[in-house]
Structure formats: structure tokens, C-alpha cells
Amino acid sequence: MLSKMLKNKQKKRQDDNYRQKQDPQKPEDLPILRDYKENISRIKEEVGNSTDINVREFKIGAYKGALVYVDGLASVIAIADYILETVMETEVPDVPVDIFQFMLDKTMALGSVKTIENWNQVYDSLFSGDTVIFLQGCNKAISGETKGWERRAISEPTTQLSIRGPKDSFTETLRTNTALIRRRIKSPNLRVDSMKIGAVSQSDIAIIYMKGIANEKIVGEVKERLNRIDIDSVLGSGYIEQLIEDQTWTTFPTTYHSERPDVVTSHLLEGRIAIVVDGTPFVVTVPAIFIQFFQAPDDYYSRFDISTGIRLLRILAFLIAVIGPSVYIAATTFHQEMIPTTMAIAIASQRENVPFPAFVEALIMEVTFEILREAGLRLPRAVGQAVSIVGALVIGQAAVQAGFVSPVMVIVVSITAIANFSTPVFAMAIAARLVRFVLMGLAAMLGFYGIMLGLMFMSIHLCSLRSFGIPYMMPLAPFNIHNQQDAFVRFPIWSMKNRPMFISKGNMRRTGDNQKPGPPKSTENQPKNGEE
């Protein structure tokens, strides 16, 4: 028994040593050595003599040192102009000096310089694009900000287009994204908190919210959920969404993501919290509610009556995308008496040579269209759109002529697909596509009763969802009359005086009391009748 325990302890010790050797991203929290050459040797050994780790030794007065940086992450021009050039041109006094402090004060012509004292900070600085400087006889190192990796320029959004709105979008660089938000909110109350997530990737995360507007409890909940994440890497905001959402077993999104800075800014001003992940152009905002996924940026850049009509049209299109094929299946299979006689005769004559029931016919067409849509997304842009259009036309026409499907079914599936594209947010559009297949099966078994049963369970499920403690169907369930100004109907901007009550717990006022537009009250300067 004792020998077995000793073997287990020995095996555990070997496993720990193996993990330390295999995971150079998590070095021991040891102090920096005084011999700079030993420090350089340790770095080369830890990274396996990787060729992208560059070392440049230098001499300043009677003192020796070396700087280390990662090629491709650090700017070589910044290192040469603001570190090496100043080091070589600086004269060290003959009297004894603290060379470490002298370097900080006289030679580091950089915007951000800090002192690091352990190896965790060394590797964190190196792999963040900074330059680390070791000096002979010093058990500390200097980290200078020299980030200079290649980055994509700010371009027009590709997934959330707008006619009158701004044309800039987020990029894959975290600081560029936070700057796009900071440029729109010039307030000291805008808070940007940073953290790293991912044991191996050490991805930079920024949590952005408005102090005094956002609910402090929700802010604390967001930070707590992010701190609980224990994963090797975070390669995109989609990882974060899946790890912090309230409910996993649902097709409906409970977090919102956008590539538009103006959309994220408006969410922050309503009291929501934004999560920016380095390496992805999509920013996550929480909490999210159901009606939010039908609000497009152009709703707020156009007049309220036009925006209201278009929003109601989107909601109608969402309902068509969800229940369109199931209504056709139920009507043609169980409830023929509800179809007008002339239409029923036309449908029956078209389906006379179709060998499949309506459900199988609809299933074939829906699956075929989903395959075409997925193929169009994965193919190169130059041929993807052409393949989708030609494939849909050719396959649809051939299927009708071969007698596999009826022309009416092609029309139903086409209208359903077009209606699905009307949903502004892709995540909600995918949810509609999945629910559609469930309702088709219920319609094939129970007719309209099955559709109503499915819609009832879907409504109950939606009302049971929460997003960081906020009811998913607010302000409809629970109903709040004060928050109906931007739900199904979009009121004029001047009348939306308060922020969402369930989300914001701070400054609730959004506009003043005298914002209603109108003609000038004074008529002294107005032209009289007959005058110009």
C-alpha cells in the first residue's frame, strides 16, 4: 500500500514537471536573474529556439544589456528609433549611477514603459508585441510598448448594412475597436476594464460599460462569468458567447453581437455591457432581449413612421419564415376546407403527379435550399452567388418538370427563404430556420393544432429565457408600458425620454423635456402675407 502511494506521488510529480515543460505560456512565477545572458538563454530554452524571437545586445557606457522582441509583433522601426538610437547616443556619467533608473529616465522614448519583475510578466510583454530589456546586474527588466503587427484597415460593415448610417466597422485589433467606441462617447464615465482569458492563447478581453447608467449588479455578473472561464484558447467572440450565456439548450440567441460601432454605442447608452475580444471584429453586448434582434440601425436614422412600418414588416417576415411551409402542409393535408375552392382545385391539379405527401415534398425542397445556401456561403465569392442563383433555378425547374414537387411548393419555399433574409441579425434568422422544421413535423402529424401547439410551447420557452437575469421577452413579458416606445413601434426620438427600465439602473433620463420640434414661437422675424 505504501509503495503504491509513493508511486502515485512520483507519477504526479512527473506529470506536473511534464506540464510545465509543455506549456511555456505559463512559466513559474520566478524572479528575473541578474545575469542578462542567463535570462536570454532561459527565453530561448522556453520557446524552443523559435526563429521569431530576436535578441539585440548593446552597451551603454560601461554597462551591458540586451533587448528581446518577437518579430512580426513588435515594430522594428520603433525599436530602432526610440530605443537603440537613444541608447547609443546617450552618454552615461562617470560617477556611479543606477543604470536601471537611468535607462527609464533618459533612453526610453516610448509612450508606455513599465518595470517587470518576474517571468510571467516577461512572456506576457513579449507575446503582446512589447520589447523587453535586460541589464547586467539588475534583477528587473524594462518593458517598452512597441506593438507593430499588421492590422486590417477600418472598412464598411459586411453583415449589418445601413443606408444612412456610418460606414465604419470593427476590426480584429482590440485597441482599434475600443477607440471607435471612445470616439463616439467622449465621456469620462465610459469604463474600459481589461483581462486575459485562455490558458494558452492569453487573449485580451475588454469589458466596456457606462458608469452611472449600467446596472452595477449586471456588470459584476459579467466579470464573474468571464473570470470563471477556464479554457485553452479564445479565438473569437463566439467562444465567449457560449461560455457566459444563461441558457445553453435553446436555439434563440441570448447575447447580441455586432460589427457596427454605432450599434454597440447605442447599447452602451442604454445600460448594456460590451465585451470586446482581440482578434475578432464582432463585439458582444449583454443583456439581450427578443425584440432587439428586429431593430436595424436604419430604424434610428429615418423618420419614426417609416421605421415603424419597416420593423413591423420584419416581424411579419419572421413569422412567415417560421410557419410558412407548416401552414401549407397543414392546409393541404388536414384542412382542405379552409382553402378557397378555386385555389384548392389548382393545388390539387398541380399535385396530381407528385408521388410524395406534402410534408416529404416540403422537406425535400427545404433541405435542398439549405444545402444551396450553405454552399453559396462556402464557395469563393466570385462564384458563390452565381452557383446559388443558378442552382436554385435549375434544380427547382427540373424538380417541377420531373414531378417530384409541385410549383406551389416551390413558391412557398422561395417566399419563406426570402422572408428569412429579412431578419437583421443572422443568429435570429438561424433560429427561425431550425424552428421551421419542428413546426413542419407537427403540422404533418396534427395539422393546425400541431402548429398552434408548437407556437404555444415556443412562446412559453421564450418567456422562460433570461439574459443575465433580464427577462428575454421584456417589455412584453413582463409587460411595461413605459418601455413600449421602442418595441414593435418606434416612437419619435424626442419622445423616448427614458432608458430601458429593466436594463439601466442609473441615470434613466435620455432626453430633456423640451425636445419636441416645432416652428419658432416668436413671429417677429417671420415674413408677412405677400412679403418675401
Side-chain angles (χ1 to χ4, degrees), residues 130-174:
D130 296 337
T131 299
V132 178
I133 300 175
F134 298 101
L135 295 172
Q136 182 66 29
C138 297
N139 60 350
K140 298 182 292 185
I142 301 173
S143 174
E145 185 177 2
T146 56
K147 297 179 178 65
W149 52 73
E150 295 294 330
R151 62 189 69 185
R152 181 171 62 91
I154 297 174
S155 59
E156 187 174 350
T158 57
T159 59
Q160 293 178 313
L161 302 179
S162 174
I163 297 175
R164 296 187 59 182
K167 301 301 180 183
D168 57 343
S169 65
F170 291 119
T171 67
E172 288 77 13
T173 307
L174 184 140

Side-chain angles (χ1 to χ4, degrees), residues 354-492:
V354 177
F356 305 111
F359 172 69
V360 177
E361 183 185 6
L363 192 62
I364 291 174
M365 288 302 298
E366 286 290 345
V367 172
T368 303
F369 192 85
E370 293 296 333
I371 293 174
L372 285 172
R373 176 157 42 188
E374 189 67 18
L377 290 175
R378 306 301 170 213
L379 285 172
R381 185 176 300 179
V383 298
Q385 188 174 4
V387 169
S388 299
I389 296 174
V390 174
L393 292 174
V394 172
I395 293 177
Q397 184 66 25
V400 171
Q401 292 180 354
F404 286 105
V405 295
S406 62
V408 178
M409 177 53 68
V410 176
I411 295 174
V412 171
V413 172
S414 301
I415 293 175
T416 303
I418 294 172
N420 188 255
F421 289 132
S422 300
T423 305
V425 182
F426 185 66
M428 184 60 72
I430 295 178
R433 287 156 59 181
L434 296 177
V435 173
R436 183 194 311 158
F437 285 97
V438 176
L439 293 180
M440 286 168 55
L442 292 174
M445 292 184 292
L446 302 173
F448 281 130
Y449 299 103
I451 297 176
M452 296 305 298
L453 186 66
L455 292 177
M456 182 181 68
F457 276 107
M458 186 183 75
S459 300
I460 295 173
H461 174 68
L462 288 173
C463 292
S464 67
L465 293 178
R466 295 288 186 274
S467 178
F468 286 83
I470 303 299
Y472 192 60
M473 291 302 292
M474 65 84 64
L476 302 177
F479 183 80
N480 185 280
I481 192 171
H482 299 290
N483 289 344
Q484 300 298 321
Q485 298 174 342
D486 195 21
F488 292 103
V489 178
R490 206 274 281 175
F491 279 39

Side-chain angles (χ1 to χ4, degrees), residues 476-519:
L476 302 177
F479 183 80
N480 185 280
I481 192 171
H482 299 290
N483 289 344
Q484 300 298 321
Q485 298 174 342
D486 195 21
F488 292 103
V489 178
R490 206 274 281 175
F491 279 39
I493 294 292
W494 56 265
S495 66
M496 293 191 294
K497 299 179 180 179
N498 296 324
R499 295 184 174 87
M501 185 176 299
F502 289 89
I503 298 175
S504 177
K505 292 296 183 181
N507 182 11
M508 298 298 298
R509 298 292 291 177
R510 188 174 358 211
T511 64
D513 295 327
N514 300 318
Q515 295 295 320
K516 183 177 180 180

Side-chain angles (χ1 to χ4, degrees), residues 280-302:
T280 178
F282 291 92
V283 174
V284 179
T285 58
V286 293
I289 57 176
F290 180 76
I291 196 63
Q292 178 182 350
F293 294 90
F294 299 96
Q295 299 170 351
D298 276 325
D299 289 353
Y300 305 94
Y301 301 129
S302 304

